[in-house]
Each structure stands twice: as structure tokens, then as C-alpha cells.
Amino acid sequence: MKKGFVFDLDGVITDTAKFHYIAWKNLAKHLGITIDEVFNESLKGISRMDSLDKILAHGHKENEYTLAEKEALAKNKNDDYVKLLADLSADDLLPGVRDFLVDAKAHNIPCAIASASKNAPMILEKLGVLDYFGHIVDPETLMKGKPDPEIFVKAAQSIGVAPKDAIGFEDAQAGIEGIKAAGMYAVGISTTEKLTGADLQVTSMTELSVEQLISI
Ligand code: G6P
Ligand code: MG
């Protein structure tokens, strides 16, 4: 029996991945670096500063900026990204998410968020689902990002569930690897990517049943 659910945010609860992509693409262009959707896949689940480092390395500009300059660039990207989220509402929940959360609550299954995004609380509030989560891991408290299991272990523990009794939901390869390394059951959600190592892969949460999952 599984006793708790741990969700990634971007690409699982809502499709903010497209807004991250627009904001990073704008910044990269400003720096004379071209990124495409294939490269963007490698940014999913990766923290803001690590994403910037990857983009700079992609453009062979990894040694051109000081830490203070990189922090300013990351802030510009985030300001752009937050502007793109201005109209985010409950309509932007991905298919099946609300029903799944309501059903989890009805079954007394606690839920937590394991996202590298520092914008997670604000986004969940705009989506109208903040109250469904017992805990949102603060990415500032982490030593290592995904694919390290730390964020998933912390998320499960925060809702009083041992990782082996928790199920993690992810859309990114780094996330699936983190969930598995944490000793949890991994559900991959993606219409485009084959998520290697996922115990189960679906194209949307509409295909999932709380009752079936907790009986695993
Ligand atoms: C998630 C997204 C990444 C993003 C990271 C940090 O993991 O998948 O694309 O870079 O969060 O998000 P933030 O909102 O803090 O910049
Ligand atoms: Mg994601």
C-alpha cells in the first residue's frame, strides 16, 4: 500500500515549461546563444542557476560572466517568466490534475510538492490548488538538485511518509532518476518523451486512478 504522493510542478501540475522556455530563449538570444526545444528538454527539473550555466556552456560562454553578472541574468529571466504567468488560473491545470487531487484528499492520501521552482507557492496559489498540498519543499534548503533524490526524500518525509511508501510524479528524466534513487515508485507523465526508469508512464493524469495507485 502506498501512503503519500509527491508531485513535480512544472509539466505535471501545469504546463509552465513552455513559459520557462520562452524566457530562457529570450535571454539566450540576448547573449548570442541559440537554444531549441531539444536542448530545452535538458533544462526541465534543473534549478534556475544550473539552467543558466547549462545555457552558457551550450554557447561556449561559461567563463565570460562573474557570479554577480550571472545572478543578474537569472533575475532578468525570472522577471520575464513571472510576467508570462500573470494570467495563470485554474484553467491552466493540466488534464486530470484537479480530479486526482480531490480523490487523493478523499482517500486521506497526503500530497507534497518537490519542485526546483522558487515560484511554486505563487503558481499553486494562482492555480487554486495550494490547499491540497501538505508541504512544498523549499528549494533553497537543498544541497543538491535533481537527479539527486534529496528533494523527493524531503517531500515524502514532510508529509510523514517513508519514501518506499510514496509515489512520485514527474515529467522529466532527471526527476524520474531522483524518484527512483529515493526508493519511491515513479510515475512518468509525458506525451513526447520516453522516461527511462519510470515504473509507469502515462500521457496525462486522466489515465491515473488514486485507488489503483495506492494499492501498488
Ligand atoms: C523546475 C523547472 C525548471 C526550472 C526550475 C526552477 O524544475 O522544470 O525548468 O528552471 O523549476 O524554477 P524557478 O521558477 O525557480 O526559476
Ligand atoms: Mg517538471
Side-chain angles (χ1 to χ4, degrees):
M1 285 292 280
K2 299 297 180 191
K3 298 176 183 153
F5 295 151
V6 172
F7 300 85
D8 174 44
L9 173 68
D10 296 307
V12 170
I13 303 287
T14 185
D15 186 18
T16 40
K18 65 186 176 209
F19 299 126
H20 278 295
Y21 180 46
I22 294 169
W24 281 129
K25 207 175 156 81
N26 286 344
L27 182 83
K29 193 175 168 196
H30 170 73
L31 301 175
I33 300 171
T34 307
I35 60 170
D36 61 15
E37 287 188 31
V38 175
F39 176 79
N40 189 53
E41 277 305 311
S42 72
L43 300 181
K44 289 186 176 175
I46 306 299
S47 76
R48 200 179 303 168
M49 280 306 269
D50 287 350
S51 298
L52 176 61
D53 283 337
K54 269 180 174 269
I55 290 168
L56 292 176
H58 184 67
H60 308 290
K61 293 180 191 281
E62 59 270 51
N63 298 320
E64 289 186 20
Y65 299 93
T66 63
L67 180 59
E69 285 167 340
K70 288 202 288 183
E71 278 168 354
L73 291 173
K75 184 183 179 306
N76 284 349
K77 180 267 172 179
N78 191 56
D79 290 348
D80 224 20
Y81 174 65
V82 169
K83 274 187 209 145
L84 292 168
L85 298 181
D87 295 332
L88 204 72
S89 73
D91 292 344
D92 296 296
L93 284 168
L94 281 167
V97 172
R98 177 178 292 280
D99 286 350
F100 191 87
L101 292 173
V102 168
D103 211 15
K105 191 172 178 180
H107 284 84
N108 286 320
I109 301 293
C111 296
I113 291 284
S115 167
S117 176
K118 296 178 188 172
N119 293 299
M122 175 270 282
I123 291 170
L124 291 166
E125 169 101 71
K126 277 178 165 284
L127 295 169
V129 292
L130 186 59
D131 292 347
Y132 287 98
F133 298 96
H135 188 78
I136 301 168
V137 176
D138 177 358
E140 302 270 18
T141 64
L142 302 172
M143 304 290 291
K144 287 185 176 173
K146 299 172 189 177
D148 192 274
E150 184 183 13
I151 191 168
F152 296 103
V153 172
K154 277 201 167 152
Q157 287 172 346
S158 74
I159 49 172
V161 177
K164 70 171 178 41
D165 296 328
I167 297 182
F169 300 83
E170 260 289 351
D171 69 314
Q173 187 59 44
I176 295 291
E177 286 164 24
I179 292 171
K180 291 314 296 171
M184 294 162 57
Y185 184 91
V187 176
I189 305 171
S190 179
T191 46
T192 52
E193 302 302 301
K194 162 90 183 85
L195 296 165
T196 306
D199 295 296
L200 172 69
Q201 179 162 349
V202 294
T203 55
S204 105
M205 290 199 75
T206 55
E207 293 167 49
L208 297 171
S209 137
V210 168
E211 205 143 86
Q212 266 177 23
L213 283 174
I214 56 179
S215 67
I216 283 169

